[in-house]
Amino acid sequence: MKNLANFAEIVDEAARTAKAIPQFVGDDEMTLDEAYAVQAMSVSRRIQRGERRVGFKMGLTSRVKMEQVGVSEVIWGRLTDAMRVEEGGVLDMGGYVHPRVEPEIAYLMKKPLSGDVSPMEALAAVEAVAPALEIIDSRYENFKFALGDVVADNSSSSGFVVGGWHAPETDVANLGIIMKFDGRPVEIGSTAAILGNPIRSLVAAARMVARSSERLEPGYIVLAGGATAAAHLAPGVHVSCEFQNLGDVEFRVAD
Ligand code: OOG
Ligand code: MG
């Protein structure tokens, strides 16, 4: 029998100590349900250390992200309060293995949502929408993984920055994005890259988390997934991202 709790401990310790580990599995060695079970157990370890659940992140919801990591399935992970980076704040790379940053859209939930829902039903459960940056960090050596590995590793969750909140009816279907390092554009894209419209990512989140007996809870943040490829962070870099109609999000990496 596979010792899923042991996998959970290994991946959680790798995240806690920011030390890279070898890939666990090819996809045939761990089923997807087992990988999500490992993820749940590893996040429980964080909760036992005093962290608090604050939401979910969707991953690989754009073609460019799928191509960047060579995995072509939509995935999800769990967010805790310890992953939140203050907007305009400073990120210390010491807590990460090889972090990258990507532009996203964040939803704030006002009503619970779970299972099969329409985009209209999903939107009716939203309190607000915001521009966001996700800081992802794979705990696997060379940022290399198969589907089961990345899901077990909480879908590379490690940090997120949320900008100003807007009314839920704000149209975020196709907004231009320019992500800059030290004022120079590094990634340019559109929110439409996220499944054609980020609301579809919220619909997918409601459906997918239900399989693990979870639901999107009131007060939860849901990150819709990267709209562009992720860019490697380096010490001292100032990251800023302009979202058409939504405003800017920024942070700095400590030297
Ligand atoms: C997997 C997580 C993907 C996204 O927004 O697509 C993700 C990874 O790229 O390491 O967060
Ligand atoms: Mg992401």
Side-chain angles (χ1 to χ4, degrees):
M1 219 190 85
K2 289 170 234 180
N3 189 341
L4 300 182
N6 188 39
F7 283 139
E9 180 177 351
I10 292 169
V11 82
D12 175 53
E13 274 299 288
R16 194 181 66 78
T17 60
K19 294 220 169 62
I21 52 172
Q23 253 180 279
F24 289 142
V25 288
D27 287 340
D28 18 321
E29 286 160 69
M30 198 190 281
T31 68
L32 195 53
D33 284 341
E34 286 171 335
Y36 277 109
V38 171
Q39 179 190 125
M41 284 188 268
S42 85
V43 174
S44 293
R45 297 172 60 90
R46 285 175 168 264
I47 303 303
Q48 272 153 29
R49 289 197 295 274
E51 292 180 32
R52 194 169 51 82
R53 278 291 298 286
V54 298
F56 293 101
K57 60 82 64 77
M58 297 300 284
L60 309 182
T61 50
S62 63
R63 186 168 300 277
V64 65
K65 280 288 307 176
M66 287 179 173
E67 281 166 3
Q68 187 175 31
V69 297
V71 175
S72 21
E73 306 267 345
V74 173
I75 58 176
W76 59 275
R78 294 162 163 97
L79 301 177
T80 74
D81 60 340
M83 300 173 190
R84 197 191 301 266
V85 175
E86 192 81 19
E87 205 278 318
V90 180
L91 176 128
D92 184 351
M93 285 205 21
Y96 302 82
V97 182
H98 33 211
R100 300 176 177 180
V101 62
E102 57 197 17
E104 307 222 358
I105 290 290
Y107 290 99
L108 178 65
M109 305 307 296
K110 74 174 171 209
K111 292 191 205 139
L113 197 66
S114 155
D116 286 325
V117 296
S118 69
M120 276 215 347
E121 286 166 330
L123 200 54
V126 170
E127 171 82 31
V129 62
L133 292 170
E134 186 181 24
I135 297 130
I136 50 168
D137 193 24
S138 176
R139 268 52 71 158
Y140 302 108
E141 289 162 352
N142 306 315
F143 224 107
K144 228 183 139 296
F145 44 72
L147 176 62
D149 297 310
V150 65
V151 165
D153 184 25
N154 201 13
S155 297
S156 305
S157 302
S158 71
F160 63 94
V161 188
V162 179
W165 291 107
H166 296 259
E169 56 275 9
T170 308
D171 184 2
V172 299
N174 182 10
L175 300 180
I177 297 171
I178 307 175
M179 185 164 74
K180 296 178 180 172
F181 279 11
D182 298 326
R184 283 187 297 274
V186 288
E187 290 292 341
I188 294 174
S190 161
T191 56
I194 304 165
L195 295 175
N197 181 338
I199 195 66
R200 294 191 184 137
S201 182
L202 195 63
V203 168
R207 179 174 30 89
M208 292 177 80
V209 306
R211 204 178 151 88
S212 296
S213 308
E214 296 252 355
R215 59 177 200 177
L216 314 185
E217 302 287 352
Y220 269 22
I221 285 169
V222 182
L223 297 176
T228 72
H232 294 252
L233 289 174
V237 165
H238 176 257
V239 180
S240 61
C241 194
E242 293 173 31
F243 290 77
Q244 184 186 355
N245 298 350
L246 299 180
D248 297 358
V249 185
E250 60 183 308
F251 68 95
R252 196 170 62 76
V253 184
D255 293 321

